[in-house]
Amino acid sequence: MSGVVAGFTVIFVIIAIGYILGRRGTLGSEGESVLGRLVFFVATPALLFDSLASSDLSVIFSPTLAVAAATALTVGALYMGVARVWLRRSLPELTIGALSASYVNSANLGIPISVFVLGDASFVAPLLLFQIIVYSPIALTILDITTLRRGASRLETVTAPFKNPIVVAGAAGLALALVDWTPPEAVMQPFRLIGGASVPGALLAFGISLYGVRVLEKGTSPRRDVALASVLKIGVQPVLAYLMARHLLGLEGHELFAIVVVSTLPTAQNVFVYASRYRCGTVLARDTAFVTTLAAIPAIALVSGLLA
């Protein structure tokens, strides 16, 4: 349990600093927007390029990858189906909601939780790479086409994914990993330094966004959307992970425990950055990340008590 508390403490401290910055107006009225764009266009692409270029792709082909992919895509599709019929949201809003319900905080929270609780950071690596290589490009392509590209030509629609900085950086890093070649340290060091700003930058932007608003405020927050996404993220996704890992893949012991813990991690703050960039579902992403981050603490403790 101490590992869970330690991992979440880091997150809450940085978010609190962002809130203080917003309260004091240190970064000005456009601070959140500028910081979010910096994370989206510069820091996160640099982080992805550096991470993938130096990664061992053999870690992808593991049971964790199969469970991560299947549960994320299933929960995302489930959210889109229910929200489309029940809430009648547009495709961009459905996309942000699906990410809020299934996109796991695998980097800034997943890594410390894996180290402190599971004893090995490699458990989160397949999930992290799946979200970088597959899930983000799919979601960002949908958002590109449905928000920024309305009225675009067929050529612009087809080439939209290849103009997205996150997709391009991920593809470039993956290409280097596939050919098993890493550029000289002098070339990679700038990407490493800039990429180091991605996680704290996203958390600071999230903290700034909390100032002056009330989470789940009536009339402002889409409470039904948040409730649906939160229940799917903290309740349904871990259960699906357990059922698939235990009964389909026959896993047990520490490996089963690790897969369920990773699936119980809350919504990533990156979803809020994406929502801010495309100006769609921002409150939904913010409130879901906040609710699931709080709910994940007792949820992971429960999983630890049942399966550890």
Side-chain angles (χ1 to χ4, degrees), residues 16 40-41 58 60 62 68 85 92 97 100 113 140 156 160 177-178 187 200 208 229 234 237 243 252 258 272 297:
F40 185 89
F41 285 103
S58 64
I60 297 179
S62 68
V85 174
S100 299
I113 291 296
L140 294 177
E156 290 175 321
L178 289 174
V187 175
I208 293 173
I234 299 299
Q237 192 167 11
L243 294 175
E252 55 186 21
F272 172 76
I297 300 175

Side-chain angles (χ1 to χ4, degrees), residues 4 61 101 120 123 200 214:
V4 177
F61 302 101
D120 188 351
F123 283 112
R214 294 182 179 179

Side-chain angles (χ1 to χ4, degrees), residues 238-308:
V239 173
L240 287 178
Y242 173 82
L243 294 175
M244 181 177 180
R246 181 69 183 89
H247 298 291
L248 292 183
L249 300 179
L251 301 179
E252 55 186 21
H254 190 69
E255 191 171 13
L256 174 63
F257 168 59
I259 287 177
V260 178
V261 166
V262 170
S263 298
T264 312
L265 291 170
T267 303
Q269 274 76 29
N270 279 0
V271 178
F272 172 76
V273 173
Y274 297 161
S276 299
R277 162 60 187 151
Y278 293 96
R279 300 179 182 179
C280 174
T282 307
V283 178
L284 167 60
R286 182 200 67 201
D287 288 3
T288 304
F290 184 82
V291 170
T292 56
T293 299
L294 292 179
I297 300 175
I300 293 177
L302 176 62
V303 171
S304 299
L306 295 175
L307 301 178

Side-chain angles (χ1 to χ4, degrees), residues 76-147:
L78 182 60
Y79 176 92
M80 295 187 80
V82 174
R84 180 66 176 175
V85 174
W86 178 36
L87 304 173
R88 300 188 180 280
R89 305 306 186 202
S90 64
L91 185 54
E93 291 174 315
L94 291 175
T95 302
I96 294 298
L99 288 176
S100 299
S102 59
Y103 198 98
V104 174
N105 193 332
S106 57
N108 49 328
L109 188 54
I111 292 175
I113 291 296
S114 294
V115 172
F116 292 132
V117 178
L118 306 177
D120 188 351
S122 65
F123 283 112
V124 80
L127 172 61
L128 176 63
L129 294 179
F130 163 73
Q131 293 187 156
I132 292 171
I133 297 170
V134 179
Y135 208 18
S136 285
I138 292 175
L140 294 177
T141 297
I142 295 174
L143 291 170
D144 271 329
I145 294 173
T146 57
T147 59

Side-chain angles (χ1 to χ4, degrees), residues 15-242:
I15 291 175
I17 293 173
Y19 177 85
I20 293 172
L21 291 175
R23 181 182 179 87
R24 295 177 61 88
T26 305
L27 302 183
S29 60
E30 297 295 322
E32 176 198 335
S33 176
V34 173
L35 189 56
R37 290 198 296 270
L38 177 66
V39 171
F40 185 89
F41 285 103
V42 182
T44 298
L47 175 64
L48 299 187
F49 177 74
D50 176 55
S51 300
L52 286 175
S54 58
S55 66
D56 180 6
L57 294 184
S58 64
V59 302
I60 297 179
F61 302 101
S62 68
T64 304
L65 173 64
V67 174
T71 56
L73 295 175
T74 299
V75 171
L78 182 60
Y79 176 92
M80 295 187 80
V82 174
R84 180 66 176 175
V85 174
W86 178 36
L87 304 173
R88 300 188 180 280
R89 305 306 186 202
S90 64
L91 185 54
E93 291 174 315
L94 291 175
T95 302
I96 294 298
L99 288 176
S100 299
S102 59
Y103 198 98
V104 174
N105 193 332
S106 57
N108 49 328
L109 188 54
I111 292 175
I113 291 296
S114 294
V115 172
F116 292 132
V117 178
L118 306 177
D120 188 351
S122 65
F123 283 112
V124 80
L127 172 61
L128 176 63
L129 294 179
F130 163 73
Q131 293 187 156
I132 292 171
I133 297 170
V134 179
Y135 208 18
S136 285
I138 292 175
L140 294 177
T141 297
I142 295 174
L143 291 170
D144 271 329
I145 294 173
T146 57
T147 59
L148 302 181
R149 302 290 175 177
R150 288 193 179 98
S153 67
R154 182 176 300 178
L155 177 61
E156 290 175 321
T157 300
V158 172
T159 58
F162 305 101
K163 298 177 181 179
N164 187 291
I166 292 179
V167 176
V168 171
L174 178 61
L176 291 181
L178 289 174
V179 300
D180 195 23
W181 179 74
T182 303
E185 183 64 20
V187 175
M188 295 302 298
Q189 189 64 23
F191 291 99
R192 192 165 298 122
L193 290 173
I194 296 174
S198 176
V199 170
L203 291 173
L204 288 173
F206 181 75
I208 293 173
S209 74
L210 294 178
Y211 173 68
V213 299
R214 294 182 179 179
V215 176
L216 299 177
E217 185 176 15
K218 185 176 181 181
T220 301
S221 174
R223 293 183 174 183
R224 293 181 298 175
D225 306 61
V226 173
L228 175 60
S230 299
V231 169
L232 290 174
K233 178 72 217 60
I234 299 299
V236 176
Q237 192 167 11
V239 173
L240 287 178
Y242 173 82

